[in-house]
Structure formats: C-alpha cells, structure tokens
Amino acid sequence: MNKIAVVGAGISGLSMANYLEKHKIDYHIYERRKKEDLAGHGFLIPEEGIEYLTQIIDRSQLFEHGRFLKKYIQYSHTGNKLAEKDLHNVFATSRHSLINLLTQNIPHEKITYEETVTPRNTEKGKLKHSDGNYIDADIAIISDGSKSRIRKSLFQDEKMRQVQENEVVNIIKNRELADSVENDFIKFHHEKGGLTFGILKLSEDTILWYSQFDNQKYRINECSAENLKNYMLEIFDNWHPLVPAIIRKSDYKNVHLWCVYELEELNPFYKDNIVFIGDAAHPLIPFTSQGVTSALKDSFFLTKYLVEEENYAKAFSRYESERKPEIEIHINNGRALLNQFLLPVSQYSENILPISYK
C-alpha cells in the first residue's frame, strides 16, 4: 500500500488514521491548529456510530467519557413539557474526550501540528508544506472541515451558503447543576421559533449546553467571552430558571461560536489522488447529529476499499458510490429539521427526534 497523507486531525482525520493504523497502512497526519486547540463542544453518537467507533476504541474506555441518554424531552422556553421520546443507545460525549481517545492510538511521530497544507497548482494531486516543498505521499485524504481550503481549490465553481442558524456551544463543570439534570437530552424551544437551548449531561459534574439562533432574528458577532455571556443572559433572561443559571455559571474560556455553512450541491468525493472525508466531503447541518457517525463510516469504507482494490482510483470510486446516497439523505433531513426549527412551536411536526436516520 502506498504512503498516505491525512490532512486534518479532527474527528474524521483521526478516525481515518485509526483505521489505517489498524490495517498497518503507512500514513502521516498534518494539522494546521495547535494540539491544545480543543473548543468546548461535543457530540451525540447514535447506535450505528458507536458500532464503528468501538472498532477502533475500547468500548469500556469510551463509555467512561460520556453518558447514554434515556429520553429526548422538549419544553417550551418557560418550562411546559411539549413532547418526549425514548432514545435507544444514543451516547453523548465531549469533543475533547473523543479527540483524546482517538489520538492515544496514533504514534506521536505520525502527527505534525501547526502545519498548513495546500495543493501545488502546477502539479495535479500534489500537496505542499507551508514552506513550499512537496509532501511525500502517493494518496491524500482530506479532512480539513466544512470550509475545506483544499476542496475549494480543486472545485473552484462550488457554491457554499450560510445556513439560517448559528450555535453557541459550551461545557460547564458544576455538580449542583448536574445533579438537577437527569440522563436525558433536554431542549427548550421559544414558542415563536428560531431559538432553542439544549442540555446534555456528560458526567456526574459536567453539562454540555448549546443554543441555536435564527441568525436573521438574532445577530451574534465575534465578541469577547464577557460580551457573549451578557448577550446570552439578555436573550434567555425570561426562560425556565435552569437556562439562565447555566449561562451565568459557565466559564466562557472555551466557548464555541459556530456559524453553519452548507454546499448548495455536493462535489465529487475525490479528484485524481485526492479524496475527501467527513465535513470536507459533505458538510452536514448540525440538526442531523450525524457528523461523527458519517466521519466514522467514511473512514471505515475508504480504508476497506483501499485494502481490497488494486489501485486507489477503484477504491475512491467504490467509496463515493457507497457513501454519497446516504449523505444526501442526511442533507435533506437536516434541511427539513432546520425549517422546522425556524417555525413557531405550534407548527412542529410529530417527528421530534433530533437525529437524521437513513
């Protein structure tokens, strides 16, 4: 098997590296951020994602770093219960924990941090280091996120658009507040639509929370932690008391402000010897809760076909044929969930589950 360059050390890149490591395939990861750059947010992982993840992470170790959620419960912003649904093997964990678990299986000499990789315009399929030198690799697997620079350079006619939703995500350590929350996924909805506050319990003393904003009604600009906190307190002031209590007691050092983008149409998943996985191939609206699972499945099937096929062109083709139809389902489901989020609560459908299934 030829040497592989993996660009990006997020969930998809590290998942890919773990599968390559498992099959003893030579690779190296290049990540433009610092190793410690771990914003405070997390994931919901449905049962299918757990099945793929536990092929590369010890199951018992994984389950020490998060919680299985019993129910999804919707409330109005003042605390009236709107609906609830049982959850089956849906696991909540922080990005920090999952990154650490995936990184521990990768030899440190196989990851280079603070290294920006770009295509070399004069050579098809060639990547270069920040100093302009070629990267020594026969295949490049790109996992550099939803606004992938490398994808944009290869597919220059692509059109990205900002989704009508922004998110603020954070993690709070507070035993008293955590004790007041069951092992459920709780979500408060403003009755007029376009504004929510979700709460996930990750451990006995840790809560992950996030707020979703219709960005045409609520303008959130890049701002200091203190200004963001004050803005949040103002917006959620008259909500159920649990919501402003969590906002008030949170540390905003690692808060993550997420402006969501999507491709109007998917590009091919590969070109020449360069192939895309995870958000770099197919940005998903966060309402799907399928980001981690899709990244894991991309990594699993791409590795499988690289092992089975005699050349990478056939492997890439099989990978795209396998993954693209399911991704298109999740994209459509995500757009439907986004449209519902923008509506008044009285117009919500009965299908309240915040996870896209194929």
Side-chain angles (χ1 to χ4, degrees):
M1 175 61 66
N2 295 326
K3 186 171 183 180
I4 295 174
V6 179
V7 180
I11 301 301
S12 55
L14 290 173
S15 299
M16 188 73 217
N18 274 266
Y19 279 112
L20 295 174
E21 189 75 26
K22 183 178 179 180
H23 287 271
K24 303 186 186 312
I25 298 173
D26 191 18
Y27 67 92
H28 192 89
I29 307 174
Y30 301 91
E31 169 57 52
R32 68 183 178 86
R33 294 183 174 89
K34 296 180 180 179
K35 183 177 181 180
E36 299 78 16
D37 186 5
L38 297 172
H41 56 111
F43 310 103
L44 288 178
I45 308 177
E47 185 173 17
E48 185 181 30
I50 294 169
E51 291 173 4
Y52 284 94
L53 188 55
T54 52
Q55 293 184 38
I56 52 177
I57 291 178
D58 179 78
R59 181 178 292 265
S60 60
Q61 191 176 26
L62 171 65
F63 296 159
E64 291 175 357
H65 292 83
R67 284 290 179 97
F68 280 97
L69 306 175
K70 295 177 181 178
K71 295 180 179 181
Y72 174 58
I73 307 176
Q74 284 186 328
Y75 293 95
S76 71
H77 71 280
T78 55
N80 296 321
K81 184 183 285 189
L82 302 173
E84 70 175 62
K85 206 161 197 173
D86 290 336
L87 295 174
H88 301 286
N89 293 324
V90 175
F91 188 69
T93 188
S94 70
R95 182 178 186 272
H96 182 275
S97 295
L98 192 52
I99 289 285
N100 284 341
L101 288 169
L102 289 167
T103 304
Q104 71 181 9
N105 297 327
I106 308 302
H108 67 87
E109 67 272 13
K110 290 190 176 184
I111 307 181
T112 300
Y113 292 96
E114 299 182 69
E115 177 66 75
T116 299
V117 173
T118 56
R120 191 175 178 104
N121 295 331
T122 57
E123 297 284 346
K124 280 188 176 181
K126 290 288 187 180
L127 298 178
K128 61 182 180 180
H129 295 281
S130 52
D131 62 8
N133 291 322
Y134 282 124
I135 286 180
D136 179 22
D138 304 293
I139 298 171
I141 299 174
I142 310 303
S143 59
D144 59 345
S146 61
K147 298 180 75 175
S148 168
R149 294 178 174 89
I150 296 175
R151 186 190 67 227
K152 178 60 179 175
S153 69
L154 295 186
F155 304 107
Q156 295 183 10
D157 293 333
E158 76 170 20
K159 294 180 181 179
M160 286 204 82
R161 60 188 174 203
Q162 187 171 0
V163 172
Q164 194 177 332
E165 183 242 355
N166 289 346
E167 294 197 7
V168 175
V169 192
N170 206 352
I171 289 176
I172 176 175
K173 268 200 164 189
N174 185 297
R175 183 60 182 260
E176 182 182 354
L177 286 173
D179 283 343
S180 68
V181 178
E182 300 292 333
N183 290 341
D184 296 320
F185 178 7
I186 301 170
K187 197 168 183 181
F188 295 90
H189 297 251
H190 197 284
E191 291 166 352
K192 293 182 179 179
L195 186 63
T196 69
F197 193 92
I199 303 167
L200 309 171
K201 187 172 180 176
L202 300 182
S203 71
E204 293 299 324
D205 64 354
T206 305
I207 292 172
L208 182 150
W209 63 259
Y210 68 98
S211 52
Q212 297 166 318
F213 298 82
D214 175 346
N215 55 29
Q216 292 188 8
K217 289 183 180 178
Y218 303 94
R219 302 289 182 181
I220 307 176
N221 300 313
E222 292 287 349
C223 55
S224 69
E226 188 62 30
N227 287 341
L228 180 59
K229 181 177 181 178
N230 290 336
Y231 179 78
M232 295 282 294
L233 285 170
E234 178 184 343
I235 294 296
F236 293 100
D237 177 57
N238 64 343
W239 286 48
H240 183 278
L242 179 61
V243 174
I246 289 174
I247 294 170
R248 192 176 299 109
K249 295 181 180 180
S250 293
D251 181 350
Y252 284 71
K253 182 175 65 174
N254 292 317
V255 69
H256 182 61
L257 175 57
W258 189 0
C259 299
V260 183
Y261 291 84
E262 67 171 356
L263 289 170
E264 290 189 5
E265 295 182 4
L266 290 177
N267 299 305
F269 285 8
Y270 65 95
K271 185 175 183 180
D272 301 320
N273 66 328
I274 297 176
V275 62
F276 297 84
I277 62 172
D279 287 343
H282 45 73
L284 293 176
I285 294 174
F287 291 98
T288 63
S289 300
Q290 282 287 352
V292 171
T293 300
S294 295
L296 288 162
K297 294 183 74 172
D298 288 356
S299 302
F300 171 84
F301 283 106
L302 179 55
T303 305
K304 171 181 166 66
Y305 299 142
L306 286 170
V307 170
E308 291 179 355
E309 294 295 341
E310 60 188 31
N311 61 62
Y312 66 76
K314 289 183 179 179
F316 290 179
S317 178
R318 286 185 69 189
Y319 156 69
E320 181 178 82
S321 296
E322 170 71 37
R323 297 296 299 134
K324 205 166 191 176
E326 180 182 318
I327 292 301
E328 287 174 337
I329 291 172
H330 291 321
I331 288 172
N332 290 331
N333 289 347
R335 288 171 179 167
L337 289 166
L338 169 64
N339 289 336
Q340 179 168 274
F341 157 75
L342 297 171
L343 294 172
V345 168
S346 61
Q347 297 181 35
Y348 278 16
S349 70
E350 293 184 4
N351 180 20
I352 67 166
L353 199 62
I355 300 173
S356 165
Y357 288 102
K358 59 185 177 181

